Amino acid sequence: MHEALHRVLHRLPGVTPGGSSLHRHLLLWLLLPQLVLWLAGAFFTYNLTARYANQAIDAALSTASRALARQVKPIGNGLFIDFPRAAQDIIEADPDDRVYYMVSTPPGQFILGNHRLPAPPPIDAPVLGQPYFYDGAMGEADAGLQVRVAALYLSYGEADTPQTMLVQVARSRASREQLARRILFDTALPLSVVIALMSMIVWAGIRAGLAPLARMRALVEGRAPNDLAPLELESAPREVHALAKAINTLLAEVHESVSGQRRFISDAAHQLRTPLAGLKSQTELALNEASEAAGPALRTRLQRVHESATRSAHLVNQLLTLARAEPESAAAQAKSRVDLRRLAGELTAEWVPRARQAGIDLGFEEDGTSPTPAVQGNALLLREAIANLIDNAIRYTGRGASVTVRVRSLGPDAQIEVEDDGPGIAPADRERVFERFARATLQGDGCGLGLAIVKEIAERHGGRVALEGAAPRGLRVLLRLPRLAA
């Protein structure tokens, strides 16, 4: 039941290995649009910057072309060029952002300047005195250099013989691109910082929004396998409340089903105790009254019936003990201070006759140096746990073996040890024997519930039970429970 809940809740917060992550899914849908918008913004910013840079450069080229045109003065049908060398040196002074110029008349016939300037696009009837702007590449020595060119058409000459003069001024596009990149960088850097901060805020918001799901998962993961109490998420959002309510409904149905099964087992065990006790008594009487004349076969059959009745009565008692150790039953029983040293000593003394009958040396070791190993718990259940450990040791160690019971304090815990020098349990079977009706050997007349009952009682008291090998041979069972402070 809890494994199914774990699988459901693992999918919700998005932590299932190999599964889709809700955190990742939300981040993807929230951050991807931001990234796309950032890229689109950068693209439009660059183009807008390039357009404004072109406008600035075009204005400068227009001014330069008109200034150059003023230096070329028409005289009759000729031209007077007043362009001193000093002015030419000033125009071409900057090697990183050079300005090129050319004057031709008719357009295309070189007169002055740099003849490698790209020709303007064909214009059928150019408007005189209005500059035209275009991009092109320089030729020959400066081949491949991209430039921005302003072309200005002017008229000169007599009225009866008009002529056209073309003035071109060009500037490298590198300055425009450098300006566009600088503006883009100055714009994109703060925008990137804003996007990063927004991403962090989004991530924190997602974590805060999904925190109730993580708390619900922690509530389920931290539970014992038999804890079917409803989940409590009073401060959770409405959507998580709906999920918690659905899970609580499922837990209530499972709790009702499990409780019905436990009531059935408990009622059946109670009903079977009386007839089994009667059957056991009747077989004992029949064995005592059967004469030798009745034959050994009849006595053998009666003995087997008696053994079966004894085993069945033992199984019924174990089932009743297991039912009392279940969480609901254990929670309803009163708890008090229990002195484990005194309880274990009394139980050992009670089991000595049974141990002698089985040919076992049963003893109890005192440890007077350690503090009193007292715990808070149900005395009846703890008594059943220790009795099951002693009973198991007597049943499976074999005649001639010895069993020792110890109680000691280990730090914050009290530990009960039942050690024997019998055949022990293989390491591979030491976890399996804590399962119900699991047995590590076919010898003995046990029913496979003793260690399961001990484990159930230990867990109900916040403790644990473990098996380890004893030297030179045998088995040591360790039952550790939280100790009460002195």
Side-chain angles (χ1 to χ4, degrees):
M1 175 60 207
H2 283 280
E3 292 178 359
L5 287 177
H6 288 169
R7 288 195 295 271
V8 172
L9 293 176
H10 278 186
R11 290 194 181 101
L12 289 175
V15 293
T16 308
S20 61
S21 167
L22 191 55
H23 284 98
R24 197 177 304 117
H25 188 71
L26 291 175
L27 271 179
L28 193 65
W29 278 100
L30 291 173
L31 296 183
L32 264 185
Q34 294 185 42
L35 179 61
V36 172
L37 291 176
W38 183 87
L39 292 175
F43 174 77
F44 287 117
T45 300
Y46 181 79
N47 283 276
L48 186 64
T49 301
R51 190 177 73 181
Y52 283 116
N54 272 341
Q55 291 179 358
I57 293 175
D58 290 350
L61 290 176
S62 175
T63 301
S65 63
R66 293 181 187 279
L68 180 60
R70 285 195 294 269
Q71 305 304 317
V72 181
K73 302 174 182 178
I75 300 178
N77 291 328
L79 294 171
F80 174 71
I81 301 173
D82 184 13
F83 193 58
R85 183 67 186 176
Q88 181 179 355
D89 291 341
I90 292 174
I91 292 177
E92 299 179 350
D94 189 354
D96 297 327
D97 188 15
R98 295 187 60 185
V99 176
Y100 306 90
Y101 62 92
M102 185 177 76
V103 179
S104 59
T105 181
Q109 185 175 352
F110 176 77
I111 294 179
L112 175 68
N114 192 324
H115 66 278
R116 294 188 297 273
L117 282 178
I123 303 175
D124 294 336
V127 178
L128 300 178
Q130 176 180 327
Y132 293 89
F133 302 97
Y134 61 94
D135 294 325
M138 298 289 289
E140 297 181 9
D142 295 321
L145 177 63
Q146 299 295 317
V147 291
R148 180 76 171 172
V149 187
L152 180 65
Y153 292 90
L154 299 172
S155 175
Y156 74 96
E158 300 296 334
D160 56 344
T161 57
Q163 299 185 52
T164 303
M165 177 179 63
L166 173 62
V167 177
Q168 293 171 273
V169 179
R171 191 174 183 178
S172 171
R173 289 176 56 186
S175 59
R176 181 190 70 174
E177 295 174 355
Q178 182 179 6
L179 176 62
R181 285 194 298 268
R182 185 179 301 169
I183 295 177
L184 176 64
F185 179 78
D186 292 342
T187 305
L189 182 61
L191 186 61
S192 301
V193 174
V194 171
I195 292 291
L197 291 175
M198 187 179 298
S199 301
M200 295 173 63
I201 294 172
V202 167
W203 171 252
I206 291 175
R207 289 183 62 87
L210 295 179
L213 293 178
R215 287 198 297 271
M216 182 183 295
R217 175 189 167 199
L219 286 175
V220 175
E221 284 185 336
R223 289 180 170 221
N226 295 325
D227 186 2
L228 299 177
L231 301 175
E232 295 182 2
L233 286 174
E234 296 299 331
S235 60
R238 184 167 40 239
E239 293 78 8
V240 179
H241 267 254
L243 176 61
K245 184 177 180 180
I247 294 177
N248 287 339
T249 302
L250 179 60
L251 289 174
E253 293 175 356
V254 174
H255 179 270
E256 184 63 28
S257 175
V258 173
S259 297
Q261 294 178 6
R262 289 170 180 164
R263 285 194 300 269
F264 171 77
I265 293 174
S266 179
D267 294 343
H270 274 292
Q271 294 297 323
L272 288 172
R273 289 184 72 179
T274 301
L276 286 175
L279 177 60
K280 182 179 176 182
S281 300
Q282 292 299 322
T283 53
E284 288 177 353
L285 291 174
L287 281 172
N288 293 333
E289 295 174 359
S291 60
E292 293 295 335
L298 179 60
R299 290 186 61 84
T300 301
R301 292 191 183 95
L302 288 173
Q303 183 64 36
R304 289 178 179 174
V305 172
H306 179 68
E307 292 174 357
S308 298
T310 302
R311 188 179 299 109
S312 299
H314 177 66
L315 174 60
V316 168
N317 288 329
Q318 295 286 68
L319 287 174
L320 284 173
T321 302
L322 192 60
R324 287 196 298 268
E326 293 292 348
E328 290 80 4
S329 300
Q333 296 175 11
K335 293 184 178 181
S336 60
R337 184 180 184 278
V338 180
D339 187 340
L340 291 183
R341 183 179 293 144
R342 177 182 297 177
L343 179 61
E346 293 174 354
L347 276 173
T348 304
E350 292 176 9
W351 281 84
V352 166
R354 166 77 181 277
R356 287 179 178 175
Q357 185 179 357
I360 302 249
D361 180 15
L362 175 62
F364 178 74
E365 282 190 5
E366 288 278 358
D367 183 12
T369 59
S370 63
T372 302
V375 299
Q376 184 76 17
N378 183 270
L380 179 61
L381 291 181
L382 293 175
R383 183 182 184 88
E384 291 285 353
I386 301 173
N388 271 282
L389 294 181
I390 299 175
D391 181 41
N392 272 5
I394 293 175
R395 285 178 185 273
Y396 298 108
T397 52
R399 300 188 70 85
S402 62
V403 177
T404 304
V405 180
R406 303 184 187 91
V407 180
R408 64 180 68 182
S409 296
L410 296 177
D413 296 331
Q415 180 168 286
I416 303 168
E417 301 177 9
V418 179
E419 181 180 345
D420 64 68
D421 57 358
I425 297 177
D429 295 329
R430 289 177 186 170
E431 289 296 328
R432 186 177 62 86
V433 293
F434 288 107
E435 300 174 5
R436 297 179 182 183
F437 300 105
R439 301 181 64 190
T441 178
L442 297 178
Q443 298 178 357
D445 55 354
C447 56
L449 285 176
L451 289 177
I453 291 173
V454 174
K455 180 181 179 183
E456 193 76 31
I457 294 174
E459 291 177 351
R460 296 288 73 78
H461 289 78
R464 58 191 182 275
V465 61
L467 304 180
E468 64 180 29
R473 65 189 296 268
L475 182 71
R476 183 183 296 113
V477 186
L478 308 176
L479 172 59
R480 182 172 290 192
L481 302 170
R483 185 169 59 88
L484 277 177

